[in-house]
Amino acid sequence: MKVAMLVAEDPVFAPIFERLEAELAAAVKKEKRLSEAQRQARTLLAQKAMRATSSATCSSDAPLPYRSRSSR
């Protein structure tokens, strides 16, 4: 806002204002990109955890409850 007031008074400050606006837009874009990457990573980890949980309960390698350890 301060630079905007300076530009309103004197156009010599316009390049500074433009640069700051561009840097702000780039920072916002980067933050959105990083947030999206985090969301995707969390989704991937959750899917992997769900697969690991479901495969452990449905695995044919799981021991049968009626088998004794000696008969394996």
Short mmCIF file of all heavy atoms in Angstrom, two decimals:
data_model
loop_
_atom_site.label_atom_id
_atom_site.label_comp_id
_atom_site.label_asym_id
_atom_site.label_seq_id
_atom_site.Cartn_x
_atom_site.Cartn_y
_atom_site.Cartn_z
N MET A 1 0.83 -1.19 0.00
CA MET A 1 0.00 0.00 0.00
C MET A 1 0.88 1.26 0.00
O MET A 1 0.52 2.25 -0.62
CB MET A 1 -0.94 -0.02 1.20
CG MET A 1 -2.00 -1.15 1.17
SD MET A 1 -2.96 -1.26 -0.35
CE MET A 1 -3.87 0.23 -0.31
N LYS A 2 1.99 1.19 0.72
CA LYS A 2 2.87 2.36 0.76
C LYS A 2 3.43 2.67 -0.62
O LYS A 2 3.47 3.83 -1.03
CB LYS A 2 4.00 2.15 1.76
CG LYS A 2 3.52 2.17 3.19
CD LYS A 2 4.68 1.98 4.16
CE LYS A 2 4.17 1.97 5.58
NZ LYS A 2 5.24 1.88 6.56
N VAL A 3 3.86 1.63 -1.33
CA VAL A 3 4.41 1.84 -2.67
C VAL A 3 3.30 2.31 -3.61
O VAL A 3 3.53 3.16 -4.47
CB VAL A 3 5.11 0.58 -3.20
CG1 VAL A 3 5.62 0.79 -4.61
CG2 VAL A 3 6.26 0.18 -2.28
N ALA A 4 2.11 1.80 -3.44
CA ALA A 4 0.99 2.26 -4.26
C ALA A 4 0.74 3.74 -4.05
O ALA A 4 0.49 4.49 -5.01
CB ALA A 4 -0.27 1.46 -3.94
N MET A 5 0.85 4.20 -2.80
CA MET A 5 0.68 5.63 -2.53
C MET A 5 1.80 6.44 -3.19
O MET A 5 1.56 7.51 -3.74
CB MET A 5 0.65 5.89 -1.03
CG MET A 5 -0.62 5.38 -0.37
SD MET A 5 -0.87 5.87 1.37
CE MET A 5 0.67 5.43 2.14
N LEU A 6 3.02 5.89 -3.16
CA LEU A 6 4.14 6.58 -3.81
C LEU A 6 3.92 6.69 -5.31
O LEU A 6 4.16 7.75 -5.91
CB LEU A 6 5.46 5.85 -3.52
CG LEU A 6 5.98 5.93 -2.09
CD1 LEU A 6 7.18 4.99 -1.91
CD2 LEU A 6 6.37 7.37 -1.74
N VAL A 7 3.45 5.61 -5.92
CA VAL A 7 3.20 5.60 -7.37
C VAL A 7 2.09 6.59 -7.71
O VAL A 7 2.16 7.30 -8.72
CB VAL A 7 2.84 4.19 -7.87
CG1 VAL A 7 2.38 4.21 -9.32
CG2 VAL A 7 4.02 3.26 -7.71
N ALA A 8 1.08 6.67 -6.86
CA ALA A 8 -0.02 7.61 -7.09
C ALA A 8 0.49 9.05 -7.09
O ALA A 8 -0.01 9.90 -7.84
CB ALA A 8 -1.11 7.42 -6.05
N GLU A 9 1.49 9.32 -6.27
CA GLU A 9 2.06 10.67 -6.18
C GLU A 9 3.10 10.94 -7.27
O GLU A 9 3.18 12.04 -7.78
CB GLU A 9 2.71 10.87 -4.81
CG GLU A 9 1.74 10.86 -3.66
CD GLU A 9 0.76 12.03 -3.70
OE1 GLU A 9 1.18 13.15 -4.04
OE2 GLU A 9 -0.43 11.81 -3.43
N ASP A 10 3.90 9.89 -7.59
CA ASP A 10 5.00 10.09 -8.54
C ASP A 10 5.21 8.80 -9.33
O ASP A 10 5.58 7.77 -8.77
CB ASP A 10 6.27 10.46 -7.78
CG ASP A 10 7.42 10.88 -8.70
OD1 ASP A 10 7.32 10.71 -9.94
OD2 ASP A 10 8.42 11.37 -8.17
N PRO A 11 5.01 8.82 -10.64
CA PRO A 11 5.12 7.61 -11.46
C PRO A 11 6.54 7.04 -11.53
O PRO A 11 6.73 5.93 -12.00
CB PRO A 11 4.64 8.03 -12.84
CG PRO A 11 4.69 9.51 -12.86
CD PRO A 11 4.60 9.98 -11.44
N VAL A 12 7.52 7.73 -11.01
CA VAL A 12 8.88 7.20 -11.02
C VAL A 12 8.97 5.90 -10.19
O VAL A 12 9.84 5.08 -10.40
CB VAL A 12 9.90 8.27 -10.52
CG1 VAL A 12 9.79 8.48 -9.02
CG2 VAL A 12 11.31 7.89 -10.91
N PHE A 13 8.03 5.71 -9.27
CA PHE A 13 8.02 4.52 -8.42
C PHE A 13 7.28 3.33 -9.07
O PHE A 13 7.22 2.25 -8.51
CB PHE A 13 7.37 4.82 -7.06
CG PHE A 13 8.18 5.79 -6.23
CD1 PHE A 13 7.79 7.10 -6.10
CD2 PHE A 13 9.33 5.36 -5.59
CE1 PHE A 13 8.54 8.00 -5.35
CE2 PHE A 13 10.09 6.24 -4.83
CZ PHE A 13 9.70 7.57 -4.71
N ALA A 14 6.72 3.52 -10.24
CA ALA A 14 5.95 2.47 -10.92
C ALA A 14 6.76 1.19 -11.15
O ALA A 14 6.23 0.09 -10.89
CB ALA A 14 5.39 2.99 -12.24
N PRO A 15 8.02 1.25 -11.57
CA PRO A 15 8.77 -0.01 -11.76
C PRO A 15 8.92 -0.82 -10.46
O PRO A 15 8.85 -2.05 -10.48
CB PRO A 15 10.13 0.45 -12.27
CG PRO A 15 9.87 1.78 -12.90
CD PRO A 15 8.77 2.40 -12.07
N ILE A 16 9.09 -0.11 -9.35
CA ILE A 16 9.19 -0.80 -8.05
C ILE A 16 7.87 -1.49 -7.74
O ILE A 16 7.83 -2.65 -7.32
CB ILE A 16 9.59 0.18 -6.94
CG1 ILE A 16 10.98 0.74 -7.22
CG2 ILE A 16 9.53 -0.49 -5.57
CD1 ILE A 16 11.38 1.91 -6.34
N PHE A 17 6.77 -0.76 -7.94
CA PHE A 17 5.45 -1.31 -7.70
C PHE A 17 5.20 -2.55 -8.56
O PHE A 17 4.73 -3.58 -8.08
CB PHE A 17 4.39 -0.24 -7.98
CG PHE A 17 2.98 -0.71 -7.74
CD1 PHE A 17 2.47 -0.77 -6.45
CD2 PHE A 17 2.16 -1.06 -8.80
CE1 PHE A 17 1.18 -1.20 -6.23
CE2 PHE A 17 0.87 -1.49 -8.59
CZ PHE A 17 0.37 -1.56 -7.29
N GLU A 18 5.54 -2.45 -9.84
CA GLU A 18 5.35 -3.57 -10.75
C GLU A 18 6.19 -4.78 -10.33
O GLU A 18 5.72 -5.92 -10.37
CB GLU A 18 5.69 -3.15 -12.18
CG GLU A 18 4.69 -2.18 -12.77
CD GLU A 18 5.15 -1.57 -14.08
OE1 GLU A 18 6.36 -1.67 -14.41
OE2 GLU A 18 4.30 -1.00 -14.78
N ARG A 19 7.44 -4.53 -9.93
CA ARG A 19 8.29 -5.63 -9.50
C ARG A 19 7.73 -6.31 -8.25
O ARG A 19 7.68 -7.53 -8.15
CB ARG A 19 9.72 -5.13 -9.21
CG ARG A 19 10.69 -6.30 -8.99
CD ARG A 19 11.93 -5.89 -8.30
NE ARG A 19 11.52 -5.50 -6.95
CZ ARG A 19 12.25 -4.77 -6.14
NH1 ARG A 19 13.41 -4.32 -6.48
NH2 ARG A 19 11.82 -4.47 -4.94
N LEU A 20 7.29 -5.50 -7.28
CA LEU A 20 6.71 -6.06 -6.05
C LEU A 20 5.44 -6.87 -6.35
O LEU A 20 5.23 -7.93 -5.76
CB LEU A 20 6.43 -4.96 -5.04
CG LEU A 20 7.66 -4.28 -4.45
CD1 LEU A 20 7.25 -3.09 -3.60
CD2 LEU A 20 8.49 -5.26 -3.65
N GLU A 21 4.61 -6.37 -7.23
CA GLU A 21 3.40 -7.10 -7.62
C GLU A 21 3.76 -8.43 -8.28
O GLU A 21 3.13 -9.47 -7.99
CB GLU A 21 2.54 -6.25 -8.57
CG GLU A 21 1.83 -5.11 -7.88
CD GLU A 21 0.72 -5.58 -6.96
OE1 GLU A 21 -0.13 -6.37 -7.38
OE2 GLU A 21 0.73 -5.14 -5.79
N ALA A 22 4.76 -8.44 -9.14
CA ALA A 22 5.19 -9.68 -9.81
C ALA A 22 5.76 -10.67 -8.79
O ALA A 22 5.47 -11.87 -8.85
CB ALA A 22 6.22 -9.37 -10.88
N GLU A 23 6.55 -10.17 -7.84
CA GLU A 23 7.11 -11.05 -6.81
C GLU A 23 6.02 -11.63 -5.93
O GLU A 23 6.08 -12.81 -5.55
CB GLU A 23 8.13 -10.29 -5.97
CG GLU A 23 9.43 -10.01 -6.70
CD GLU A 23 10.42 -9.24 -5.85
OE1 GLU A 23 10.21 -9.07 -4.63
OE2 GLU A 23 11.43 -8.79 -6.43
N LEU A 24 5.04 -10.82 -5.60
CA LEU A 24 3.92 -11.31 -4.79
C LEU A 24 3.15 -12.39 -5.53
O LEU A 24 2.83 -13.44 -4.97
CB LEU A 24 2.99 -10.16 -4.42
CG LEU A 24 1.76 -10.53 -3.60
CD1 LEU A 24 2.17 -11.14 -2.27
CD2 LEU A 24 0.89 -9.30 -3.37
N ALA A 25 2.88 -12.17 -6.81
CA ALA A 25 2.16 -13.17 -7.61
C ALA A 25 2.96 -14.47 -7.70
O ALA A 25 2.40 -15.56 -7.59
CB ALA A 25 1.87 -12.62 -9.00
N ALA A 26 4.28 -14.36 -7.87
CA ALA A 26 5.13 -15.56 -7.94
C ALA A 26 5.13 -16.31 -6.61
O ALA A 26 5.09 -17.54 -6.58
CB ALA A 26 6.56 -15.17 -8.34
N ALA A 27 5.16 -15.58 -5.51
CA ALA A 27 5.15 -16.22 -4.18
C ALA A 27 3.83 -16.94 -3.94
O ALA A 27 3.82 -18.05 -3.40
CB ALA A 27 5.41 -15.18 -3.10
N VAL A 28 2.74 -16.32 -4.33
CA VAL A 28 1.42 -16.95 -4.17
C VAL A 28 1.34 -18.22 -5.02
O VAL A 28 0.87 -19.27 -4.56
CB VAL A 28 0.29 -15.95 -4.51
CG1 VAL A 28 -1.05 -16.65 -4.63
CG2 VAL A 28 0.24 -14.85 -3.48
N LYS A 29 1.83 -18.13 -6.25
CA LYS A 29 1.81 -19.29 -7.15
C LYS A 29 2.65 -20.43 -6.57
O LYS A 29 2.24 -21.59 -6.58
CB LYS A 29 2.34 -18.88 -8.52
CG LYS A 29 2.26 -19.97 -9.56
CD LYS A 29 2.73 -19.45 -10.91
CE LYS A 29 2.68 -20.55 -11.95
NZ LYS A 29 3.12 -20.07 -13.27
N LYS A 30 3.82 -20.10 -6.04
CA LYS A 30 4.70 -21.11 -5.45
C LYS A 30 4.03 -21.76 -4.25
O LYS A 30 4.07 -22.98 -4.08
CB LYS A 30 6.03 -20.48 -5.04
CG LYS A 30 7.00 -21.46 -4.43
CD LYS A 30 8.31 -20.79 -4.06
CE LYS A 30 9.26 -21.79 -3.43
NZ LYS A 30 10.53 -21.16 -3.04
N GLU A 31 3.41 -20.97 -3.40
CA GLU A 31 2.72 -21.49 -2.22
C GLU A 31 1.59 -22.44 -2.62
O GLU A 31 1.42 -23.51 -2.03
CB GLU A 31 2.18 -20.35 -1.37
CG GLU A 31 1.50 -20.80 -0.10
CD GLU A 31 2.43 -21.48 0.88
OE1 GLU A 31 3.63 -21.16 0.91
OE2 GLU A 31 1.95 -22.37 1.62
N LYS A 32 0.84 -22.07 -3.64
CA LYS A 32 -0.25 -22.95 -4.12
C LYS A 32 0.32 -24.25 -4.65
O LYS A 32 -0.21 -25.33 -4.40
CB LYS A 32 -1.06 -22.25 -5.20
CG LYS A 32 -1.98 -21.19 -4.68
CD LYS A 32 -2.77 -20.55 -5.81
CE LYS A 32 -3.67 -19.45 -5.30
NZ LYS A 32 -4.44 -18.82 -6.38
N ARG A 33 1.43 -24.16 -5.41
CA ARG A 33 2.06 -25.36 -5.98
C ARG A 33 2.56 -26.28 -4.86
O ARG A 33 2.34 -27.49 -4.91
CB ARG A 33 3.20 -24.94 -6.90
CG ARG A 33 3.73 -26.07 -7.76
CD ARG A 33 4.85 -25.61 -8.70
NE ARG A 33 6.10 -25.47 -7.95
CZ ARG A 33 6.75 -24.33 -7.74
NH1 ARG A 33 6.29 -23.20 -8.25
NH2 ARG A 33 7.86 -24.29 -7.05
N LEU A 34 3.18 -25.71 -3.84
CA LEU A 34 3.69 -26.52 -2.73
C LEU A 34 2.54 -27.14 -1.94
O LEU A 34 2.62 -28.29 -1.52
CB LEU A 34 4.59 -25.68 -1.82
CG LEU A 34 5.90 -25.23 -2.44
CD1 LEU A 34 6.64 -24.29 -1.48
CD2 LEU A 34 6.78 -26.41 -2.81
N SER A 35 1.47 -26.38 -1.74
CA SER A 35 0.31 -26.91 -1.03
C SER A 35 -0.31 -28.07 -1.79
O SER A 35 -0.73 -29.07 -1.20
CB SER A 35 -0.73 -25.81 -0.81
OG SER A 35 -0.24 -24.84 0.06
N GLU A 36 -0.39 -27.94 -3.11
CA GLU A 36 -0.94 -29.02 -3.94
C GLU A 36 -0.04 -30.25 -3.88
O GLU A 36 -0.52 -31.38 -3.79
CB GLU A 36 -1.11 -28.55 -5.38
CG GLU A 36 -1.63 -29.61 -6.33
CD GLU A 36 -3.00 -30.13 -5.98
OE1 GLU A 36 -3.73 -29.50 -5.20
OE2 GLU A 36 -3.35 -31.22 -6.48
N ALA A 37 1.28 -30.05 -3.88
CA ALA A 37 2.21 -31.17 -3.78
C ALA A 37 2.03 -31.88 -2.44
O ALA A 37 2.02 -33.11 -2.37
CB ALA A 37 3.65 -30.70 -3.95
N GLN A 38 1.86 -31.12 -1.36
CA GLN A 38 1.63 -31.71 -0.05
C GLN A 38 0.33 -32.50 -0.03
O GLN A 38 0.27 -33.60 0.51
CB GLN A 38 1.54 -30.63 1.03
CG GLN A 38 2.84 -30.35 1.71
CD GLN A 38 2.63 -29.43 2.90
OE1 GLN A 38 1.83 -28.49 2.85
NE2 GLN A 38 3.36 -29.69 3.95
N ARG A 39 -0.72 -31.93 -0.62
CA ARG A 39 -2.01 -32.63 -0.66
C ARG A 39 -1.89 -33.95 -1.41
O ARG A 39 -2.38 -34.99 -0.95
CB ARG A 39 -3.08 -31.74 -1.31
CG ARG A 39 -4.48 -32.35 -1.24
CD ARG A 39 -5.43 -31.67 -2.21
NE ARG A 39 -5.06 -31.85 -3.60
CZ ARG A 39 -5.23 -32.99 -4.30
NH1 ARG A 39 -5.74 -34.05 -3.72
NH2 ARG A 39 -4.87 -33.06 -5.56
N GLN A 40 -1.20 -33.92 -2.54
CA GLN A 40 -1.03 -35.14 -3.33
C GLN A 40 -0.19 -36.17 -2.57
O GLN A 40 -0.50 -37.36 -2.60
CB GLN A 40 -0.37 -34.82 -4.67
CG GLN A 40 -1.28 -34.08 -5.62
CD GLN A 40 -0.57 -33.68 -6.90
OE1 GLN A 40 0.65 -33.58 -6.95
NE2 GLN A 40 -1.34 -33.44 -7.95
N ALA A 41 0.85 -35.72 -1.89
CA ALA A 41 1.70 -36.64 -1.13
C ALA A 41 0.91 -37.28 0.00
O ALA A 41 1.01 -38.49 0.25
CB ALA A 41 2.91 -35.90 -0.57
N ARG A 42 0.10 -36.49 0.69
CA ARG A 42 -0.72 -37.05 1.78
C ARG A 42 -1.74 -38.05 1.25
O ARG A 42 -1.99 -39.08 1.88
CB ARG A 42 -1.41 -35.91 2.53
CG ARG A 42 -0.44 -35.11 3.37
CD ARG A 42 -1.13 -33.99 4.10
NE ARG A 42 -0.16 -33.28 4.91
CZ ARG A 42 -0.15 -31.97 5.07
NH1 ARG A 42 -1.05 -31.21 4.48
NH2 ARG A 42 0.77 -31.40 5.82
N THR A 43 -2.32 -37.75 0.11
CA THR A 43 -3.28 -38.67 -0.51
C THR A 43 -2.59 -39.98 -0.86
O THR A 43 -3.12 -41.07 -0.59
CB THR A 43 -3.92 -38.05 -1.76
OG1 THR A 43 -4.61 -36.86 -1.37
CG2 THR A 43 -4.87 -38.99 -2.44
N LEU A 44 -1.42 -39.89 -1.46
CA LEU A 44 -0.66 -41.08 -1.83
C LEU A 44 -0.31 -41.92 -0.60
O LEU A 44 -0.47 -43.14 -0.61
CB LEU A 44 0.62 -40.67 -2.57
CG LEU A 44 1.53 -41.79 -3.04
CD1 LEU A 44 0.83 -42.63 -4.11
CD2 LEU A 44 2.82 -41.21 -3.58
N LEU A 45 0.14 -41.28 0.46
CA LEU A 45 0.48 -42.01 1.69
C LEU A 45 -0.75 -42.66 2.30
O LEU A 45 -0.68 -43.80 2.78
CB LEU A 45 1.14 -41.07 2.70
CG LEU A 45 2.53 -40.60 2.33
CD1 LEU A 45 3.00 -39.52 3.29
CD2 LEU A 45 3.51 -41.76 2.32
N ALA A 46 -1.88 -41.97 2.27
CA ALA A 46 -3.11 -42.54 2.82
C ALA A 46 -3.55 -43.75 2.00
O ALA A 46 -3.97 -44.77 2.56
CB ALA A 46 -4.22 -41.49 2.83
N GLN A 47 -3.43 -43.67 0.68
CA GLN A 47 -3.78 -44.80 -0.18
C GLN A 47 -2.87 -45.98 0.09
O GLN A 47 -3.32 -47.12 0.16
CB GLN A 47 -3.71 -44.41 -1.65
CG GLN A 47 -4.80 -43.47 -2.09
CD GLN A 47 -4.58 -42.95 -3.49
OE1 GLN A 47 -3.52 -43.10 -4.09
NE2 GLN A 47 -5.60 -42.29 -4.05
N LYS A 48 -1.58 -45.73 0.26
CA LYS A 48 -0.63 -46.80 0.53
C LYS A 48 -0.94 -47.45 1.88
O LYS A 48 -0.91 -48.67 2.00
CB LYS A 48 0.79 -46.27 0.53
CG LYS A 48 1.82 -47.35 0.74
CD LYS A 48 3.23 -46.82 0.66
CE LYS A 48 4.21 -47.96 0.91
NZ LYS A 48 5.59 -47.51 0.89
N ALA A 49 -1.27 -46.65 2.86
CA ALA A 49 -1.60 -47.19 4.18
C ALA A 49 -2.87 -48.03 4.12
O ALA A 49 -2.95 -49.09 4.75
CB ALA A 49 -1.78 -46.05 5.18
N MET A 50 -3.85 -47.58 3.32
CA MET A 50 -5.09 -48.36 3.18
C MET A 50 -4.81 -49.69 2.49
O MET A 50 -5.35 -50.72 2.90
CB MET A 50 -6.14 -47.55 2.41
CG MET A 50 -6.72 -46.42 3.21
SD MET A 50 -7.89 -45.41 2.29
CE MET A 50 -9.08 -46.63 1.77
N ARG A 51 -3.96 -49.67 1.46
CA ARG A 51 -3.62 -50.91 0.77
C ARG A 51 -2.88 -51.86 1.69
O ARG A 51 -3.13 -53.06 1.69
CB ARG A 51 -2.79 -50.63 -0.48
CG ARG A 51 -3.63 -50.28 -1.66
CD ARG A 51 -2.80 -50.22 -2.94
NE ARG A 51 -2.82 -48.82 -3.37
CZ ARG A 51 -1.77 -48.07 -3.57
NH1 ARG A 51 -0.56 -48.55 -3.42
NH2 ARG A 51 -1.89 -46.82 -3.92
N ALA A 52 -1.96 -51.33 2.49
CA ALA A 52 -1.20 -52.17 3.41
C ALA A 52 -2.12 -52.80 4.46
O ALA A 52 -1.98 -53.97 4.79
CB ALA A 52 -0.10 -51.36 4.09
N THR A 53 -3.08 -52.03 4.94
CA THR A 53 -4.02 -52.54 5.94
C THR A 53 -4.92 -53.59 5.33
O THR A 53 -5.12 -54.65 5.91
CB THR A 53 -4.87 -51.39 6.50
OG1 THR A 53 -4.00 -50.40 7.06
CG2 THR A 53 -5.83 -51.86 7.55
N SER A 54 -5.46 -53.33 4.15
CA SER A 54 -6.38 -54.29 3.54
C SER A 54 -5.66 -55.54 3.07
O SER A 54 -6.19 -56.63 3.15
CB SER A 54 -7.15 -53.65 2.39
OG SER A 54 -6.27 -53.35 1.33
N SER A 55 -4.42 -55.42 2.62
CA SER A 55 -3.70 -56.61 2.17
C SER A 55 -3.28 -57.47 3.35
O SER A 55 -3.22 -58.69 3.24
CB SER A 55 -2.48 -56.24 1.33
OG SER A 55 -1.51 -55.59 2.12
N ALA A 56 -3.03 -56.88 4.49
CA ALA A 56 -2.66 -57.66 5.67
C ALA A 56 -3.85 -58.45 6.18
O ALA A 56 -3.70 -59.58 6.65
CB ALA A 56 -2.12 -56.75 6.77
N THR A 57 -5.04 -57.91 6.07
CA THR A 57 -6.21 -58.62 6.57
C THR A 57 -6.76 -59.62 5.56
O THR A 57 -7.46 -60.53 5.93
CB THR A 57 -7.33 -57.63 6.96
OG1 THR A 57 -7.64 -56.82 5.83
CG2 THR A 57 -6.90 -56.75 8.12
N CYS A 58 -6.41 -59.46 4.29
CA CYS A 58 -6.94 -60.34 3.26
C CYS A 58 -5.86 -61.25 2.68
O CYS A 58 -6.12 -61.98 1.73
CB CYS A 58 -7.54 -59.53 2.12
SG CYS A 58 -8.90 -58.48 2.65
N SER A 59 -4.69 -61.24 3.22
CA SER A 59 -3.59 -61.98 2.63
C SER A 59 -3.78 -63.48 2.80
O SER A 59 -4.19 -63.97 3.85
CB SER A 59 -2.27 -61.55 3.27
OG SER A 59 -1.23 -62.37 2.82
N SER A 60 -3.42 -64.23 1.76
CA SER A 60 -3.48 -65.69 1.86
C SER A 60 -2.31 -66.21 2.68
O SER A 60 -2.29 -67.38 3.06
CB SER A 60 -3.47 -66.31 0.46
OG SER A 60 -2.28 -65.94 -0.21
N ASP A 61 -1.32 -65.36 2.93
CA ASP A 61 -0.18 -65.76 3.75
C ASP A 61 -0.45 -65.65 5.24
O ASP A 61 0.36 -66.10 6.04
CB ASP A 61 1.04 -64.88 3.42
CG ASP A 61 1.48 -65.06 1.98
OD1 ASP A 61 1.24 -66.15 1.42
OD2 ASP A 61 2.07 -64.10 1.44
N ALA A 62 -1.56 -65.07 5.60
CA ALA A 62 -1.87 -64.92 7.02
C ALA A 62 -2.13 -66.30 7.62
O ALA A 62 -2.71 -67.18 6.98
CB ALA A 62 -3.09 -64.04 7.20
N PRO A 63 -1.70 -66.53 8.84
CA PRO A 63 -1.90 -67.84 9.46
C PRO A 63 -3.38 -68.10 9.73
O PRO A 63 -4.13 -67.19 10.06
CB PRO A 63 -1.12 -67.75 10.77
CG PRO A 63 -0.95 -66.29 11.03
CD PRO A 63 -0.98 -65.61 9.71
N LEU A 64 -3.78 -69.32 9.56
CA LEU A 64 -5.15 -69.69 9.84
C LEU A 64 -5.31 -69.90 11.34
O LEU A 64 -4.41 -70.45 11.99
CB LEU A 64 -5.52 -70.97 9.09
CG LEU A 64 -5.47 -70.84 7.56
CD1 LEU A 64 -5.69 -72.21 6.92
CD2 LEU A 64 -6.49 -69.85 7.08
N PRO A 65 -6.43 -69.51 11.90
CA PRO A 65 -6.58 -69.61 13.35
C PRO A 65 -6.60 -71.03 13.89
O PRO A 65 -6.24 -71.28 15.02
CB PRO A 65 -7.90 -68.90 13.62
CG PRO A 65 -8.60 -68.82 12.32
CD PRO A 65 -7.55 -68.92 11.25
N TYR A 66 -7.00 -71.99 13.06
CA TYR A 66 -7.12 -73.36 13.56
C TYR A 66 -5.85 -74.17 13.35
O TYR A 66 -5.78 -75.31 13.78
CB TYR A 66 -8.32 -74.06 12.91
CG TYR A 66 -8.27 -74.07 11.40
CD1 TYR A 66 -7.57 -75.04 10.71
CD2 TYR A 66 -8.95 -73.10 10.66
CE1 TYR A 66 -7.51 -75.04 9.33
CE2 TYR A 66 -8.90 -73.11 9.28
CZ TYR A 66 -8.18 -74.09 8.63
OH TYR A 66 -8.14 -74.10 7.26
N ARG A 67 -4.86 -73.65 12.69
CA ARG A 67 -3.62 -74.37 12.49
C ARG A 67 -2.68 -74.18 13.66
O ARG A 67 -2.52 -73.07 14.16
CB ARG A 67 -2.90 -73.85 11.25
CG ARG A 67 -3.48 -74.27 9.95
CD ARG A 67 -2.71 -73.59 8.89
NE ARG A 67 -2.31 -74.51 7.85
CZ ARG A 67 -1.67 -74.14 6.77
NH1 ARG A 67 -1.31 -72.90 6.61
NH2 ARG A 67 -1.34 -75.00 5.86
N SER A 68 -2.06 -75.20 14.06
CA SER A 68 -1.05 -75.06 15.10
C SER A 68 0.27 -74.73 14.43
O SER A 68 0.49 -75.01 13.26
CB SER A 68 -0.93 -76.35 15.92
OG SER A 68 -0.37 -77.36 15.12
N ARG A 69 1.18 -74.20 15.17
CA ARG A 69 2.47 -73.83 14.62
C ARG A 69 3.26 -75.08 14.18
O ARG A 69 4.01 -75.02 13.24
CB ARG A 69 3.29 -73.04 15.64
CG ARG A 69 2.72 -71.67 15.91
CD ARG A 69 3.69 -70.88 16.77
NE ARG A 69 3.13 -69.59 17.13
CZ ARG A 69 3.29 -68.50 16.42
NH1 ARG A 69 3.99 -68.52 15.33
NH2 ARG A 69 2.75 -67.37 16.82
N SER A 70 3.07 -76.18 14.82
CA SER A 70 3.83 -77.38 14.48
C SER A 70 3.40 -78.02 13.17
O SER A 70 4.15 -78.75 12.55
CB SER A 70 3.73 -78.41 15.62
OG SER A 70 2.38 -78.77 15.81
N SER A 71 2.17 -77.80 12.73
CA SER A 71 1.67 -78.43 11.50
C SER A 71 1.99 -77.61 10.26
O SER A 71 1.64 -78.00 9.17
CB SER A 71 0.18 -78.66 11.60
OG SER A 71 -0.52 -77.43 11.65
N ARG A 72 2.65 -76.49 10.39
CA ARG A 72 2.98 -75.68 9.22
C ARG A 72 4.18 -76.16 8.56
O ARG A 72 5.17 -76.47 8.60
CB ARG A 72 3.18 -74.23 9.62
CG ARG A 72 1.87 -73.56 9.89
CD ARG A 72 2.08 -72.09 9.98
NE ARG A 72 1.35 -71.62 11.17
CZ ARG A 72 1.49 -70.46 11.68
NH1 ARG A 72 2.32 -69.61 11.21
NH2 ARG A 72 0.79 -70.09 12.70
#
